[in-house]
Amino acid sequence: MNPKFTTDEILVRALVSQGIEHVFWHPGGARLPYYNALAKCEDITLVLVRHELGACHMADGYARTTGRPGVVMLTSGSGASNSITGIANAYMDSAPIIVFCSRESRGDTDSDQFDETDMIGVSRPVVKHSYVVQSSTDIPRVVQEAVFVATSGRPGPVVIDILRSAHENRTKHEYVMPSKVSLRGYRPAESGHAGQIKKALEALLRSTRPVICAGGGVIQGDAASELLSFAERLKLPVTTSLMGLGAVPGSNDLFLGMVGIHGTRVANDAIAHSDLILAIGTRFDDRVTNDPRQFCPQAKVIHVDIDPSSISKVITADLPIVGPCKEVLTILNQLAREKEELSSNGDDQYATWWEQLDRWREETSQGTQQNSKLDDSAMLRPEDVVQVLYEATQGDAYTTTDVGQHQLFVAQGFKFSTPRRWVTPGGLGTMGFGLPAALGVQFAFPSATVVCVTGESSFLVNLQELSTCRQYELPIKVFCFNNGTLGMVKQSTQIHAGECELRGYPESMPDFVQLVESFGHRALRAATLDELKQAVDVAFSNECKKETVFVDVTLDPDAILSSAKSRGNNLDDQSMVDA
Amino acid sequence: MMPVKHILAILFENEAGALARVLGLFAQRNMNIESLSVAPTEDSTISRLTLLTMSDAPTIEQITKQLNRLVGVIKVVDLVHVDHVERELMLVKVCAEGEERQEIKRTCDIFRGQIVDVTTNTYTVQLIGPTAKLLGFLEAIGRAHILEVVRSGTCGITRGAKALSAGPKGV
């Protein structure tokens, strides 16, 4: 006779079978029955968080940097609904997280029992898929499907709501895991259309002013090395979206910088004057395009994406290719190699275009040099802080951020050398993401350097996770850009003529050093360049290798985020931009 | 761009919550659904939904892609792109008294309606056909005589031998 298991044992076995090693959880009455089996399981580290939202962001940071699903376990009611912002954030940025919650229901659902929420209904618009589990015997199949759905195709969050009635009785069942996933309604593209890919290469070879526009899909799709080979083979200039930073090394000569409202001038000029854009793994977010009608007025667009709904949604694609970035780029590389063997005139194909791009790049860098004189005594400017941090980490550290000026200063100033190092809430703009996300990353890579760059307003949103950080002794380094105001919003109100300028709240801010110290962490203050350099030395010193270090960086409250300028489209039109 | 009529035939998993996901996509985009009819197919694990909506071309393209993205949706076809048959069923309770009873019966015959329930002063008429025919009947009877109308929503099927089956997506 086959062995039989209780519901909690079945769940834990299913998780282990899918390679799950960490579970971020917050217990409550409805989740307690699982505690026994989870606590006993040696293959899974159970991470007790302070807030359900923190759990989701941890799982999100974990998932983005590893490519493996981040698993969250929550209770019912408010314990479940607290996770919604975290799920929505993962949905917008295509992060594979799986959120288990428990539904209070003895018999009938939706009978307004204590702590009952319809999590399936509440989360419906922000999940890739969701499951209600009524019987323990369904758990193995559901867990296997959830992992497959969350991580394949365009990744995204999956919610699994287990009814209390399914796990309350201690009846034992056999553990039956199907041999493979069978979902007739879900078949993500495994390869691109060969004919379309061939046409794409021909179009690139015919073009005179091509640009690659890469997005987060290249990173999530593990296609960065294929992208770099292809760009190098054809000498194609590359720009990325915010989510695509790290898709090519930031210091590579082919990289023009980030495109869009907060991008570099040369990247935007390139897009504005290009005759052919190879968009890959990007959805043309409005921060990239501003007014889509004026985004790339002269260009034909080849759009590669695993998600058909991203293609021609904002910018009409002249040549759509539905497929995984990695496979499509591999074929492009093969075809390009074959072409090279036939002809040998590839070298100067885009020479005139590169001359123009280099001229634009030169102009921009002159402007920056004049701008970037560091002064020891003056108030710290955000760009100086970013430069010091970049020098200390070399774009190699895992770097999480929140949302606002600090986020974009890092995006502009760091040159990420590899993919999956840059962890930022791009789509939803979720304040409070950075700290818990950094915790998630540190769990995935215990010996790596993990930096969280945050702002004082964002930091206050989820600071309770400092306690989690203490409990698990995670040596993350937090740099808090403190200008005593919602900098990005303030900047936005200054740009929009006629709006009331936002008043800050410096007088009501806590003393961050005391606050963080009260959680048992080391906290430092830096208001000048010298103090900052000292604090950075301490933070990354051997002495602090196992310690959380928080640096409260006092900034010039009037610092403004420099935004894009461009000739030929409207990316410099700030009147269209909201904070 | 002018909104035009689209008839989406959607095959999806016959399970709790699947229809809500489909309809949620329309609600999220502030798209109104003119009519819908849904029931299981010959395979009881699959439901078929016929959904009528007014939309411009980019919007219907995007919602079709979004529908295909749903894990529980097996196939989506816009019937207006192919030669098809549309039918709707309507039940109408009509006030039919005195001399008018004969006239209403005759109108009903002209439209090939069936009287499925009778009282001394009402008829309940069942009518099947394209939506335009049903509306034509209501006009012929006259608003003053109509007590109650219930329509099933359009359902549709392609003409010819080729059948819409639950094969791979994207056909």
Side-chain angles (χ1 to χ4, degrees), chain A residues 91 120 124-125 128-131 149 154 183-187 307-313, chain B residues 13 17 20-21 28 43 45-46 61-62 65-66 68-74 167-169:
Chain A
Y91 184 71
I120 297 299
R124 190 178 296 122
K128 185 167 172 186
H129 194 47
S130 51
Y131 293 90
V149 169
R154 177 176 178 181
L183 287 168
R184 56 187 163 187
Y186 179 70
R187 292 195 187 90
D307 175 9
S309 76
S310 286
I311 299 176
S312 293
K313 182 174 70 179
Chain B
E13 299 289 348
R21 289 194 195 96
Q28 277 161 246
D43 175 349
T45 65
I46 297 176
E61 184 185 333
Q62 185 57 216
K65 287 171 170 175
Q66 293 290 341
N68 272 314
R69 244 168 68 137
L70 292 176
V71 172
V73 168
I74 299 160
K169 273 186 184 182

mmCIF file of all heavy atoms in Angstrom, chain A residues 91 120 124-125 128-131 149 154 183-187 307-313, chain B residues 13 17 20-21 28 43 45-46 61-62 65-66 68-74 167-169:
data_model
loop_
_atom_site.group_PDB
_atom_site.id
_atom_site.type_symbol
_atom_site.label_atom_id
_atom_site.label_comp_id
_atom_site.label_asym_id
_atom_site.label_seq_id
_atom_site.Cartn_x
_atom_site.Cartn_y
_atom_site.Cartn_z
ATOM 1 N N TYR A 91 3.439 41.542 -10.936
ATOM 2 C CA TYR A 91 2.711 41.418 -12.210
ATOM 3 C C TYR A 91 3.237 42.430 -13.225
ATOM 4 O O TYR A 91 3.521 42.093 -14.372
ATOM 5 C CB TYR A 91 1.221 41.632 -11.948
ATOM 6 C CG TYR A 91 0.346 41.427 -13.154
ATOM 7 C CD1 TYR A 91 0.133 40.152 -13.671
ATOM 8 C CD2 TYR A 91 -0.299 42.496 -13.766
ATOM 9 C CE1 TYR A 91 -0.680 39.952 -14.771
ATOM 10 C CE2 TYR A 91 -1.116 42.312 -14.874
ATOM 11 C CZ TYR A 91 -1.309 41.037 -15.376
ATOM 12 O OH TYR A 91 -2.106 40.840 -16.465
ATOM 13 N N ILE A 120 -9.140 35.385 -4.433
ATOM 14 C CA ILE A 120 -9.127 35.126 -5.875
ATOM 15 C C ILE A 120 -9.742 36.321 -6.603
ATOM 16 O O ILE A 120 -9.205 36.810 -7.596
ATOM 17 C CB ILE A 120 -9.901 33.817 -6.198
ATOM 18 C CG1 ILE A 120 -9.205 32.623 -5.531
ATOM 19 C CG2 ILE A 120 -10.041 33.611 -7.683
ATOM 20 C CD1 ILE A 120 -7.788 32.365 -5.984
ATOM 21 N N ARG A 124 -7.588 39.131 -8.846
ATOM 22 C CA ARG A 124 -7.768 38.686 -10.226
ATOM 23 C C ARG A 124 -7.092 39.569 -11.289
ATOM 24 O O ARG A 124 -6.402 39.053 -12.170
ATOM 25 C CB ARG A 124 -9.261 38.530 -10.560
ATOM 26 C CG ARG A 124 -9.503 37.845 -11.892
ATOM 27 C CD ARG A 124 -10.971 37.654 -12.201
ATOM 28 N NE ARG A 124 -11.598 36.768 -11.259
ATOM 29 C CZ ARG A 124 -12.645 37.106 -10.494
ATOM 30 N NH1 ARG A 124 -13.170 38.307 -10.568
ATOM 31 N NH2 ARG A 124 -13.167 36.236 -9.664
ATOM 32 N N PRO A 125 -7.236 40.893 -11.195
ATOM 33 C CA PRO A 125 -6.629 41.702 -12.278
ATOM 34 C C PRO A 125 -5.105 41.750 -12.253
ATOM 35 O O PRO A 125 -4.508 42.224 -13.196
ATOM 36 C CB PRO A 125 -7.191 43.102 -12.026
ATOM 37 C CG PRO A 125 -8.244 42.961 -10.993
ATOM 38 C CD PRO A 125 -7.962 41.712 -10.241
ATOM 39 N N LYS A 128 -1.169 36.333 -12.978
ATOM 40 C CA LYS A 128 -1.115 35.613 -14.250
ATOM 41 C C LYS A 128 -2.149 34.493 -14.232
ATOM 42 O O LYS A 128 -2.813 34.226 -15.221
ATOM 43 C CB LYS A 128 0.301 35.053 -14.458
ATOM 44 C CG LYS A 128 0.499 34.389 -15.798
ATOM 45 C CD LYS A 128 1.953 34.144 -16.091
ATOM 46 C CE LYS A 128 2.104 33.308 -17.362
ATOM 47 N NZ LYS A 128 3.500 32.930 -17.608
ATOM 48 N N HIS A 129 -2.280 33.858 -13.063
ATOM 49 C CA HIS A 129 -3.298 32.819 -12.923
ATOM 50 C C HIS A 129 -3.549 32.605 -11.432
ATOM 51 O O HIS A 129 -2.720 32.993 -10.613
ATOM 52 C CB HIS A 129 -2.815 31.515 -13.571
ATOM 53 C CG HIS A 129 -3.912 30.505 -13.771
ATOM 54 N ND1 HIS A 129 -5.128 30.829 -14.320
ATOM 55 C CD2 HIS A 129 -3.971 29.177 -13.497
ATOM 56 C CE1 HIS A 129 -5.889 29.743 -14.380
ATOM 57 N NE2 HIS A 129 -5.211 28.724 -13.887
ATOM 58 N N SER A 130 -4.691 32.008 -11.106
ATOM 59 C CA SER A 130 -4.935 31.702 -9.697
ATOM 60 C C SER A 130 -5.695 30.394 -9.563
ATOM 61 O O SER A 130 -6.364 29.951 -10.494
ATOM 62 C CB SER A 130 -5.697 32.847 -9.022
ATOM 63 O OG SER A 130 -6.846 33.199 -9.763
ATOM 64 N N TYR A 131 -5.560 29.799 -8.391
ATOM 65 C CA TYR A 131 -6.184 28.500 -8.117
ATOM 66 C C TYR A 131 -6.928 28.544 -6.789
ATOM 67 O O TYR A 131 -6.440 29.143 -5.825
ATOM 68 C CB TYR A 131 -5.121 27.399 -7.996
ATOM 69 C CG TYR A 131 -4.376 27.078 -9.264
ATOM 70 C CD1 TYR A 131 -3.205 27.751 -9.584
ATOM 71 C CD2 TYR A 131 -4.843 26.094 -10.129
ATOM 72 C CE1 TYR A 131 -2.512 27.437 -10.757
ATOM 73 C CE2 TYR A 131 -4.151 25.774 -11.291
ATOM 74 C CZ TYR A 131 -2.988 26.457 -11.598
ATOM 75 O OH TYR A 131 -2.311 26.149 -12.747
ATOM 76 N N VAL A 149 3.530 27.861 -14.660
ATOM 77 C CA VAL A 149 2.882 29.069 -15.177
ATOM 78 C C VAL A 149 3.653 30.325 -14.743
ATOM 79 O O VAL A 149 3.885 31.242 -15.533
ATOM 80 C CB VAL A 149 1.402 29.141 -14.706
ATOM 81 C CG1 VAL A 149 0.791 30.506 -15.008
ATOM 82 C CG2 VAL A 149 0.579 28.048 -15.377
ATOM 83 N N ARG A 154 5.909 34.714 -20.404
ATOM 84 C CA ARG A 154 6.187 35.945 -19.679
ATOM 85 C C ARG A 154 5.907 35.659 -18.219
ATOM 86 O O ARG A 154 4.743 35.429 -17.848
ATOM 87 C CB ARG A 154 5.286 37.069 -20.181
ATOM 88 C CG ARG A 154 5.484 38.360 -19.426
ATOM 89 C CD ARG A 154 4.651 39.465 -20.030
ATOM 90 N NE ARG A 154 4.778 40.705 -19.287
ATOM 91 C CZ ARG A 154 4.130 41.805 -19.598
ATOM 92 N NH1 ARG A 154 3.332 41.813 -20.653
ATOM 93 N NH2 ARG A 154 4.290 42.891 -18.894
ATOM 94 N N LEU A 183 -1.671 21.667 -19.648
ATOM 95 C CA LEU A 183 -2.593 22.807 -19.659
ATOM 96 C C LEU A 183 -2.924 23.143 -21.112
ATOM 97 O O LEU A 183 -2.118 23.740 -21.813
ATOM 98 C CB LEU A 183 -1.940 24.021 -18.985
ATOM 99 C CG LEU A 183 -1.801 24.003 -17.465
ATOM 100 C CD1 LEU A 183 -0.889 25.131 -17.010
ATOM 101 C CD2 LEU A 183 -3.161 24.115 -16.796
ATOM 102 N N ARG A 184 -4.130 22.766 -21.545
ATOM 103 C CA ARG A 184 -4.433 22.954 -22.968
ATOM 104 C C ARG A 184 -4.607 24.432 -23.307
ATOM 105 O O ARG A 184 -4.529 24.818 -24.462
ATOM 106 C CB ARG A 184 -5.670 22.164 -23.360
ATOM 107 C CG ARG A 184 -6.898 22.502 -22.535
ATOM 108 C CD ARG A 184 -8.042 21.569 -22.850
ATOM 109 N NE ARG A 184 -9.053 21.650 -21.798
ATOM 110 C CZ ARG A 184 -10.098 20.852 -21.721
ATOM 111 N NH1 ARG A 184 -10.279 19.910 -22.618
ATOM 112 N NH2 ARG A 184 -10.960 20.989 -20.729
ATOM 113 N N GLY A 185 -4.861 25.267 -22.290
ATOM 114 C CA GLY A 185 -5.069 26.691 -22.559
ATOM 115 C C GLY A 185 -3.807 27.519 -22.397
ATOM 116 O O GLY A 185 -3.856 28.738 -22.494
ATOM 117 N N TYR A 186 -2.668 26.868 -22.127
ATOM 118 C CA TYR A 186 -1.460 27.642 -21.868
ATOM 119 C C TYR A 186 -0.269 26.994 -22.547
ATOM 120 O O TYR A 186 0.232 25.970 -22.089
ATOM 121 C CB TYR A 186 -1.222 27.743 -20.354
ATOM 122 C CG TYR A 186 0.033 28.503 -19.986
ATOM 123 C CD1 TYR A 186 0.108 29.876 -20.175
ATOM 124 C CD2 TYR A 186 1.144 27.847 -19.468
ATOM 125 C CE1 TYR A 186 1.255 30.570 -19.849
ATOM 126 C CE2 TYR A 186 2.286 28.530 -19.133
ATOM 127 C CZ TYR A 186 2.339 29.900 -19.334
ATOM 128 O OH TYR A 186 3.474 30.590 -19.013
ATOM 129 N N ARG A 187 0.127 27.565 -23.656
ATOM 130 C CA ARG A 187 1.294 27.033 -24.380
ATOM 131 C C ARG A 187 2.160 28.196 -24.839
ATOM 132 O O ARG A 187 2.025 28.687 -25.949
ATOM 133 C CB ARG A 187 0.838 26.233 -25.607
ATOM 134 C CG ARG A 187 0.117 24.948 -25.249
ATOM 135 C CD ARG A 187 0.037 24.038 -26.480
ATOM 136 N NE ARG A 187 -0.781 22.875 -26.209
ATOM 137 C CZ ARG A 187 -2.092 22.824 -26.418
ATOM 138 N NH1 ARG A 187 -2.720 23.885 -26.908
ATOM 139 N NH2 ARG A 187 -2.770 21.733 -26.139
ATOM 140 N N ASP A 307 5.395 37.623 -25.200
ATOM 141 C CA ASP A 307 3.993 37.928 -24.928
ATOM 142 C C ASP A 307 3.394 38.680 -26.121
ATOM 143 O O ASP A 307 3.713 39.842 -26.334
ATOM 144 C CB ASP A 307 3.904 38.768 -23.654
ATOM 145 C CG ASP A 307 2.480 39.221 -23.369
ATOM 146 O OD1 ASP A 307 1.551 38.739 -24.060
ATOM 147 O OD2 ASP A 307 2.288 40.057 -22.468
ATOM 148 N N PRO A 308 2.515 38.018 -26.895
ATOM 149 C CA PRO A 308 1.952 38.689 -28.075
ATOM 150 C C PRO A 308 1.258 40.007 -27.729
ATOM 151 O O PRO A 308 1.231 40.925 -28.543
ATOM 152 C CB PRO A 308 0.934 37.683 -28.613
ATOM 153 C CG PRO A 308 1.276 36.384 -27.988
ATOM 154 C CD PRO A 308 1.983 36.671 -26.705
ATOM 155 N N SER A 309 0.718 40.110 -26.506
ATOM 156 C CA SER A 309 -0.036 41.318 -26.170
ATOM 157 C C SER A 309 0.872 42.525 -25.954
ATOM 158 O O SER A 309 0.403 43.649 -25.862
ATOM 159 C CB SER A 309 -0.927 41.079 -24.942
ATOM 160 O OG SER A 309 -0.161 41.079 -23.768
ATOM 161 N N SER A 310 2.196 42.298 -25.862
ATOM 162 C CA SER A 310 3.112 43.438 -25.751
ATOM 163 C C SER A 310 3.426 44.035 -27.115
ATOM 164 O O SER A 310 3.914 45.159 -27.209
ATOM 165 C CB SER A 310 4.431 43.003 -25.097
ATOM 166 O OG SER A 310 4.239 42.803 -23.726
ATOM 167 N N ILE A 311 3.159 43.267 -28.154
ATOM 168 C CA ILE A 311 3.518 43.696 -29.511
ATOM 169 C C ILE A 311 2.377 44.514 -30.115
ATOM 170 O O ILE A 311 1.222 44.123 -30.040
ATOM 171 C CB ILE A 311 3.856 42.466 -30.387
ATOM 172 C CG1 ILE A 311 5.058 41.724 -29.784
ATOM 173 C CG2 ILE A 311 4.139 42.879 -31.825
ATOM 174 C CD1 ILE A 311 5.426 40.438 -30.498
ATOM 175 N N SER A 312 2.735 45.657 -30.685
ATOM 176 C CA SER A 312 1.766 46.574 -31.298
ATOM 177 C C SER A 312 0.741 47.100 -30.296
ATOM 178 O O SER A 312 -0.345 47.511 -30.678
ATOM 179 C CB SER A 312 1.037 45.911 -32.485
ATOM 180 O OG SER A 312 1.942 45.668 -33.526
ATOM 181 N N LYS A 313 1.060 47.052 -29.024
ATOM 182 C CA LYS A 313 0.151 47.616 -28.019
ATOM 183 C C LYS A 313 0.318 49.137 -27.962
ATOM 184 O O LYS A 313 -0.650 49.866 -27.930
ATOM 185 C CB LYS A 313 0.460 47.003 -26.643
ATOM 186 C CG LYS A 313 -0.455 47.495 -25.538
ATOM 187 C CD LYS A 313 -0.213 46.758 -24.237
ATOM 188 C CE LYS A 313 1.126 47.129 -23.636
ATOM 189 N NZ LYS A 313 1.372 46.436 -22.354
ATOM 190 N N GLU B 13 -12.084 26.670 -20.163
ATOM 191 C CA GLU B 13 -12.287 25.593 -19.186
ATOM 192 C C GLU B 13 -13.609 25.800 -18.441
ATOM 193 O O GLU B 13 -13.878 26.887 -17.938
ATOM 194 C CB GLU B 13 -11.146 25.567 -18.159
ATOM 195 C CG GLU B 13 -9.763 25.325 -18.743
ATOM 196 C CD GLU B 13 -9.560 23.897 -19.239
ATOM 197 O OE1 GLU B 13 -10.383 23.022 -18.935
ATOM 198 O OE2 GLU B 13 -8.549 23.692 -19.963
ATOM 199 N N GLY B 17 -14.792 30.291 -11.743
ATOM 200 C CA GLY B 17 -13.867 31.415 -11.833
ATOM 201 C C GLY B 17 -13.368 31.717 -13.232
ATOM 202 O O GLY B 17 -12.859 32.810 -13.487
ATOM 203 N N ALA B 20 -15.327 34.541 -14.922
ATOM 204 C CA ALA B 20 -15.045 35.828 -14.269
ATOM 205 C C ALA B 20 -13.750 36.432 -14.802
ATOM 206 O O ALA B 20 -13.648 37.646 -14.981
ATOM 207 C CB ALA B 20 -14.959 35.640 -12.754
ATOM 208 N N ARG B 21 -12.751 35.604 -15.074
ATOM 209 C CA ARG B 21 -11.483 36.117 -15.608
ATOM 210 C C ARG B 21 -11.696 36.725 -16.989
ATOM 211 O O ARG B 21 -11.146 37.776 -17.315
ATOM 212 C CB ARG B 21 -10.443 35.001 -15.703
ATOM 213 C CG ARG B 21 -9.936 34.547 -14.361
ATOM 214 C CD ARG B 21 -8.680 33.708 -14.498
ATOM 215 N NE ARG B 21 -8.418 32.991 -13.266
ATOM 216 C CZ ARG B 21 -8.795 31.740 -13.038
ATOM 217 N NH1 ARG B 21 -9.405 31.048 -13.989
ATOM 218 N NH2 ARG B 21 -8.556 31.173 -11.884
ATOM 219 N N GLN B 28 -12.077 45.706 -16.930
ATOM 220 C CA GLN B 28 -10.849 46.459 -16.669
ATOM 221 C C GLN B 28 -10.592 47.499 -17.743
ATOM 222 O O GLN B 28 -9.987 48.521 -17.490
ATOM 223 C CB GLN B 28 -9.645 45.505 -16.654
ATOM 224 C CG GLN B 28 -9.427 44.795 -15.350
ATOM 225 C CD GLN B 28 -8.560 43.563 -15.535
ATOM 226 O OE1 GLN B 28 -8.997 42.449 -15.359
ATOM 227 N NE2 GLN B 28 -7.300 43.757 -15.917
ATOM 228 N N ASP B 43 -17.990 18.573 -25.333
ATOM 229 C CA ASP B 43 -17.051 18.135 -24.299
ATOM 230 C C ASP B 43 -17.389 18.926 -23.034
ATOM 231 O O ASP B 43 -17.198 20.148 -22.993
ATOM 232 C CB ASP B 43 -15.621 18.432 -24.770
ATOM 233 C CG ASP B 43 -14.578 18.124 -23.712
ATOM 234 O OD1 ASP B 43 -14.960 17.884 -22.545
ATOM 235 O OD2 ASP B 43 -13.383 18.143 -24.057
ATOM 236 N N THR B 45 -16.094 19.436 -20.349
ATOM 237 C CA THR B 45 -15.062 20.163 -19.607
ATOM 238 C C THR B 45 -14.768 21.519 -20.260
ATOM 239 O O THR B 45 -13.996 22.310 -19.736
ATOM 240 C CB THR B 45 -13.741 19.359 -19.539
ATOM 241 O OG1 THR B 45 -13.204 19.225 -20.867
ATOM 242 C CG2 THR B 45 -13.964 17.987 -18.934
ATOM 243 N N ILE B 46 -15.363 21.757 -21.428
ATOM 244 C CA ILE B 46 -15.126 23.015 -22.144
ATOM 245 C C ILE B 46 -16.437 23.781 -22.306
ATOM 246 O O ILE B 46 -17.437 23.222 -22.739
ATOM 247 C CB ILE B 46 -14.508 22.739 -23.540
ATOM 248 C CG1 ILE B 46 -13.139 22.070 -23.394
ATOM 249 C CG2 ILE B 46 -14.393 24.027 -24.340
ATOM 250 C CD1 ILE B 46 -12.515 21.679 -24.708
ATOM 251 N N GLU B 61 -8.030 43.880 -31.071
ATOM 252 C CA GLU B 61 -6.801 43.090 -31.212
ATOM 253 C C GLU B 61 -6.165 42.866 -29.834
ATOM 254 O O GLU B 61 -5.768 41.767 -29.475
ATOM 255 C CB GLU B 61 -5.807 43.807 -32.127
ATOM 256 C CG GLU B 61 -4.557 42.970 -32.367
ATOM 257 C CD GLU B 61 -3.492 43.704 -33.179
ATOM 258 O OE1 GLU B 61 -3.849 44.592 -33.967
ATOM 259 O OE2 GLU B 61 -2.300 43.378 -32.991
ATOM 260 N N GLN B 62 -6.119 43.937 -29.042
ATOM 261 C CA GLN B 62 -5.499 43.841 -27.726
ATOM 262 C C GLN B 62 -6.313 42.930 -26.806
ATOM 263 O O GLN B 62 -5.748 42.088 -26.114
ATOM 264 C CB GLN B 62 -5.351 45.251 -27.128
ATOM 265 C CG GLN B 62 -4.620 45.312 -25.806
ATOM 266 C CD GLN B 62 -3.213 44.734 -25.790
ATOM 267 O OE1 GLN B 62 -2.786 44.143 -24.814
ATOM 268 N NE2 GLN B 62 -2.482 44.871 -26.891
ATOM 269 N N LYS B 65 -5.749 39.338 -27.680
ATOM 270 C CA LYS B 65 -4.464 38.858 -27.161
ATOM 271 C C LYS B 65 -4.544 38.626 -25.655
ATOM 272 O O LYS B 65 -4.000 37.649 -25.135
ATOM 273 C CB LYS B 65 -3.367 39.877 -27.451
ATOM 274 C CG LYS B 65 -2.947 39.928 -28.914
ATOM 275 C CD LYS B 65 -2.025 41.101 -29.135
ATOM 276 C CE LYS B 65 -1.378 41.088 -30.510
ATOM 277 N NZ LYS B 65 -0.579 42.312 -30.729
ATOM 278 N N GLN B 66 -5.204 39.535 -24.959
ATOM 279 C CA GLN B 66 -5.332 39.392 -23.511
ATOM 280 C C GLN B 66 -6.151 38.145 -23.163
ATOM 281 O O GLN B 66 -5.840 37.432 -22.211
ATOM 282 C CB GLN B 66 -5.997 40.635 -22.891
ATOM 283 C CG GLN B 66 -5.163 41.905 -22.983
ATOM 284 C CD GLN B 66 -3.942 41.877 -22.088
ATOM 285 O OE1 GLN B 66 -3.853 41.099 -21.152
ATOM 286 N NE2 GLN B 66 -2.971 42.723 -22.399
ATOM 287 N N ASN B 68 -6.371 35.440 -24.969
ATOM 288 C CA ASN B 68 -5.498 34.291 -25.242
ATOM 289 C C ASN B 68 -4.463 34.085 -24.146
ATOM 290 O O ASN B 68 -3.969 32.985 -23.949
ATOM 291 C CB ASN B 68 -4.796 34.479 -26.588
ATOM 292 C CG ASN B 68 -5.632 33.922 -27.725
ATOM 293 O OD1 ASN B 68 -6.150 32.814 -27.639
ATOM 294 N ND2 ASN B 68 -5.792 34.699 -28.770
ATOM 295 N N ARG B 69 -4.099 35.173 -23.465
ATOM 296 C CA ARG B 69 -3.118 35.074 -22.386
ATOM 297 C C ARG B 69 -3.669 34.329 -21.175
ATOM 298 O O ARG B 69 -2.914 33.808 -20.370
ATOM 299 C CB ARG B 69 -2.740 36.489 -21.943
ATOM 300 C CG ARG B 69 -1.305 36.848 -22.182
ATOM 301 C CD ARG B 69 -1.119 38.325 -21.989
ATOM 302 N NE ARG B 69 -1.291 38.711 -20.600
ATOM 303 C CZ ARG B 69 -0.492 39.571 -19.977
ATOM 304 N NH1 ARG B 69 0.520 40.102 -20.613
ATOM 305 N NH2 ARG B 69 -0.704 39.924 -18.740
ATOM 306 N N LEU B 70 -4.998 34.331 -21.026
ATOM 307 C CA LEU B 70 -5.585 33.675 -19.851
ATOM 308 C C LEU B 70 -5.332 32.171 -19.926
ATOM 309 O O LEU B 70 -5.564 31.539 -20.961
ATOM 310 C CB LEU B 70 -7.091 33.943 -19.779
ATOM 311 C CG LEU B 70 -7.503 35.384 -19.485
ATOM 312 C CD1 LEU B 70 -9.023 35.503 -19.535
ATOM 313 C CD2 LEU B 70 -6.982 35.847 -18.132
ATOM 314 N N VAL B 71 -4.872 31.635 -18.812
ATOM 315 C CA VAL B 71 -4.496 30.219 -18.788
ATOM 316 C C VAL B 71 -5.705 29.322 -19.077
ATOM 317 O O VAL B 71 -5.585 28.296 -19.728
ATOM 318 C CB VAL B 71 -3.842 29.874 -17.428
ATOM 319 C CG1 VAL B 71 -3.625 28.381 -17.279
ATOM 320 C CG2 VAL B 71 -2.517 30.623 -17.280
ATOM 321 N N GLY B 72 -6.893 29.742 -18.629
ATOM 322 C CA GLY B 72 -8.075 28.898 -18.815
ATOM 323 C C GLY B 72 -8.750 29.044 -20.163
ATOM 324 O O GLY B 72 -9.711 28.332 -20.461
ATOM 325 N N VAL B 73 -8.278 29.975 -20.997
ATOM 326 C CA VAL B 73 -8.906 30.171 -22.307
ATOM 327 C C VAL B 73 -8.198 29.297 -23.333
ATOM 328 O O VAL B 73 -6.977 29.328 -23.461
ATOM 329 C CB VAL B 73 -8.861 31.659 -22.728
ATOM 330 C CG1 VAL B 73 -9.230 31.819 -24.197
ATOM 331 C CG2 VAL B 73 -9.813 32.463 -21.851
ATOM 332 N N ILE B 74 -8.997 28.511 -24.073
ATOM 333 C CA ILE B 74 -8.408 27.545 -24.998
ATOM 334 C C ILE B 74 -8.360 28.081 -26.424
ATOM 335 O O ILE B 74 -7.414 27.857 -27.152
ATOM 336 C CB ILE B 74 -9.191 26.212 -24.931
ATOM 337 C CG1 ILE B 74 -9.113 25.652 -23.505
ATOM 338 C CG2 ILE B 74 -8.648 25.197 -25.929
ATOM 339 C CD1 ILE B 74 -10.184 24.652 -23.163
ATOM 340 N N GLY B 167 -8.172 22.786 -30.430
ATOM 341 C CA GLY B 167 -6.782 22.518 -30.814
ATOM 342 C C GLY B 167 -5.865 23.567 -30.226
ATOM 343 O O GLY B 167 -6.266 24.339 -29.359
ATOM 344 N N PRO B 168 -4.603 23.600 -30.702
ATOM 345 C CA PRO B 168 -3.655 24.580 -30.156
ATOM 346 C C PRO B 168 -4.145 26.005 -30.378
ATOM 347 O O PRO B 168 -4.887 26.275 -31.311
ATOM 348 C CB PRO B 168 -2.386 24.319 -30.982
ATOM 349 C CG PRO B 168 -2.566 23.006 -31.612
ATOM 350 C CD PRO B 168 -4.024 22.767 -31.742
ATOM 351 N N LYS B 169 -3.688 26.888 -29.500
ATOM 352 C CA LYS B 169 -4.059 28.306 -29.595
ATOM 353 C C LYS B 169 -3.455 28.935 -30.843
ATOM 354 O O LYS B 169 -2.494 28.435 -31.402
ATOM 355 C CB LYS B 169 -3.517 29.053 -28.385
ATOM 356 C CG LYS B 169 -4.443 29.032 -27.215
ATOM 357 C CD LYS B 169 -3.877 29.923 -26.128
ATOM 358 C CE LYS B 169 -4.744 29.836 -24.894
ATOM 359 N NZ LYS B 169 -4.251 30.714 -23.851
#
